[in-house]
Amino acid sequence: MFSQIRLRSASRFIVGLVFCLLFQAAARADWQVITAGDQRQSRPPKKISNATAIKPGDRWPTDNKFRWLIGDLEIPEMIGKEASAGKIVGLQINCGDGGEIWVGDELQCRFDNDHPALVILATNAVPGAKVRVDVQIYSKVQGGDKFDQANWVVIEAKRALQPLQLVVDPTRLLGAVPDGIVGLSQGGGVSDYEDATAKKLREGGFKWFRMDNIFTGALKKNKETGELTNDWRDFDKRIDFIRKIGAEPIMCVSYMPQVLDAVPNNERQSAPKDYAAWEELCFQAAKHSLDRGARVPFWEVWNEVNTGWLKPGPDDTGSDEFRKLYFQALGKEDTNTTTIRRFEAYCKLYRATARGIRRADPQAKIGGPALASGPMENSKDCGHCSRGQGFAKGLMLWCAQEKLPLDFVSWHEYFQRPGKIAKEADTCRAYLKEFPTLQESVKSFMITEWNEAWWPDRPQDHEVGAAWCANSITRAFLPARIDRPCFFYVKQGDMNFRGDYSLLMQNNTPKASYNVAKVFNGLSGNWISLRVNGATNAATSNSLDGDISGVAAWDAQRQRLAIVLVNFRDRYALRRPVRLEIADLPSALRDGTWQEWTIDATHSNVWHDQGKAELAKTQSGSVNGNNLRWEKALGANSVTLIELNPK
């Protein structure tokens, strides 16, 4: 994982709602706060006692207590410059580290301080009408120390009430669905390698698994003789576990065995003191895997070198050769000697790795540079990037010069919106256009670590983080042809909710993000057209509007038609009505059945109910004839699967 300057919710307060928000004003209300305890409460309190007054802008406690923020609101006559009477009126709210909003007996949505909420309070507003809002604010995990906002807004009927009309055309095929859409990533080893864990991951349909930190203990030195010997126990355990899942290993060659350290480094980030010895280690690893019938098809060279996770040795001097190469990559001179020395060390490491592995396995795929964030330099437009162009394009220059293999390009990404992630893939492709041979050899674009956040963050416990992941898949990974995203990471060893990155909790209890991965990995066959009704051109994008994105697939062999709809917006997600129509169904599905599976605030969500963590079927029915019409209000931050099967 990597360091970056986090965009705080306060710094993005002025971001617009895009076609949904007309005007906003501070919510007039008597706000009170009461302490609820150490755990989430399943429902709002019926009686209020020991409450204290609070107003927007006040500080919020940052201890480990859950609290209720209770508002007795009165709908104002004017919201901004617009009369509220008869309008659809909502509330934007953000407080503390996030929480959940109840209106009456309904849980409308969850939020966190980076993804503030929008809820509907009246669809035909009457000025002066009273509304009670109960907001459970969660205990602090990452940030949020204020009652940031509580603003009245008028919401467009088009967004709040009118169904978004979607059409699926099974006759329009748009290309093959890949065998697996979400993979796995892990550093430092999985919390356990038990058969039950492997079984659960196999059920999730994961087809590739990237692991780093695989060489740290792979080379040992005999204290008496000085002889170097290989210890493959941990390495083999990892590969055997991946094969048990039914996935392909992507092994990230890292970190440095201590006996090869060029500089003392307890964090295992040293370059090798002998690149020939490192080459031999890579050769032996690939050969060992082949000899035991457990071939590794993909080898990624090191991890996040651009942010300092490789310390150059005394022989990595930042010579003129590498200074010129880095200048060529950037298009300008970089005077930072440490950066040039690190680049030199990485180039040598990549060369030794590729040569060693290819000696043992000429068909193995080699790639990198496993950047921390995208392949661009830090700038006003790419503030989340760090020396990405220098190391990404520099690696391409080095591979072209030394005639080294480059079979895939890899980087890591967390938190960023789909447009930025897609731009990162486009930038990699733009660099490759300058290298026709490499452009031909690079067959894969991998994000070998990704998740909602690289820090412990509450959305990773519930549906907000899961919907963020789904939104990245539909709006970035699939359209930008990022073909091997690897979710970081697999499993935590307990049942504590602390915003942990994991897909699985103790006893292999799935989080909502696991269910999202399972839904997408279950798709097969061919993509088919999914578009907004009335659109003049057939859908080529998965973005249906500012809230809803989705995909549809038809598998003739399995006789299964599946549609996945994602309702997610980074700020102010809202419940959205959707109407879906499918005409001219394949003959196998006529008079068949349909089923609906939901991941949202109350379904398939261990945070909401630990007894109902598995993917939940929420509706089913029969298909009448050769068409289907399905309608539902999709919850904010939700993922819905509709599948059709023969009778």
Side-chain angles (χ1 to χ4, degrees), residues 1-317:
M1 293 172 289
F2 54 89
S3 297
Q4 60 175 266
I5 298 175
R6 187 177 184 191
L7 295 177
R8 303 297 302 152
S9 59
S11 69
R12 295 183 293 163
F13 178 78
I14 60 173
V15 176
L17 288 182
V18 188
F19 73 81
C20 75
L21 170 61
L22 299 181
F23 298 102
Q24 66 180 29
R28 292 183 300 174
D30 290 326
W31 291 100
Q32 301 178 83
V33 58
I34 60 174
T35 301
D38 297 328
Q39 302 294 328
R40 174 184 174 267
Q41 308 296 300
S42 61
R43 301 195 68 80
K46 292 183 178 180
K47 296 181 180 180
I48 301 175
S49 60
N50 299 319
T52 57
I54 192 171
K55 63 182 182 300
D58 285 353
R59 307 297 293 180
W60 189 264
T62 56
D63 56 17
N64 291 320
K65 299 293 184 182
F66 287 69
R67 289 176 170 83
W68 285 98
L69 174 66
I70 300 170
D72 291 312
L73 287 71
E74 178 182 312
I75 296 176
E77 291 186 5
M78 301 293 294
I79 298 177
K81 297 181 180 180
E82 184 173 6
S84 66
K87 303 294 174 54
I88 303 167
V89 170
L91 184 72
Q92 293 176 340
I93 194 162
N94 199 1
C95 182
D97 201 18
E100 58 189 43
I101 304 178
W102 293 74
V103 180
D105 291 329
E106 181 188 5
L107 170 57
Q108 281 214 18
C109 71
R110 291 192 175 90
F111 68 97
D112 82 313
N113 58 317
D114 289 301
H115 306 96
L118 171 63
V119 293
I120 297 172
L121 298 187
T123 56
N124 185 15
V126 176
K130 304 289 186 180
V131 183
R132 174 167 161 169
V133 177
D134 296 285
V135 188
Q136 184 167 199
I137 306 299
Y138 299 152
S139 62
K140 180 183 174 70
V141 166
Q142 189 276 327
D145 58 2
K146 286 179 63 180
F147 179 8
D148 289 289
Q149 64 177 130
N151 300 326
W152 291 106
V153 294
V154 174
I155 307 171
E156 286 186 331
K158 179 181 179 181
R159 185 180 180 207
L161 297 181
Q162 297 172 9
L164 178 67
Q165 300 193 41
L166 305 177
V167 176
V168 175
D169 183 356
T171 67
R172 182 170 176 79
L173 305 182
L174 301 175
V177 176
D179 183 20
I181 292 174
V182 179
L184 298 169
S185 184
Q186 185 77 41
V190 186
S191 63
D192 70 70
Y193 295 86
E194 296 173 356
D195 288 347
T197 303
K199 180 176 181 292
K200 191 65 179 178
L201 295 175
R202 181 183 284 272
E203 290 173 5
F206 300 100
K207 295 298 194 299
W208 58 88
F209 195 150
R210 180 259 192 184
M211 282 197 181
D212 67 19
N213 198 14
I214 62 169
F215 279 173
T216 304
L219 193 63
K220 304 287 178 66
K221 184 176 183 179
N222 187 297
K223 293 182 179 180
E224 295 180 359
T225 66
E227 180 184 6
L228 295 178
T229 58
N230 294 122
D231 183 348
W232 300 117
R233 288 174 294 178
D234 180 69
F235 182 81
D236 290 346
K237 180 170 64 174
R238 296 183 188 218
I239 291 179
D240 292 346
F241 183 75
I242 293 171
R243 288 164 60 86
K244 194 181 298 184
I245 293 167
E248 287 185 328
I250 303 169
M251 304 308 277
C252 175
V253 292
S254 61
Y255 291 105
M256 193 57 57
Q258 197 169 27
V259 295
L260 288 184
D261 277 351
V263 293
N265 186 267
N266 292 330
E267 294 180 316
R268 302 155 292 144
Q269 300 168 1
S270 172
K273 61 185 177 184
D274 183 341
Y275 284 97
W278 174 264
E279 179 178 329
E280 181 65 17
L281 174 62
C282 293
F283 167 78
Q284 292 295 341
K287 181 178 183 299
H288 173 77
S289 300
L290 284 168
D291 290 346
R292 64 190 297 266
R295 178 177 179 267
V296 176
F298 297 95
W299 298 85
E300 183 183 42
V301 182
W302 213 252
N303 183 64
E304 299 189 355
V305 64
N306 60 312
T307 53
W309 280 64
L310 182 64
K311 308 300 181 186
D315 294 333
D316 306 314
T317 60

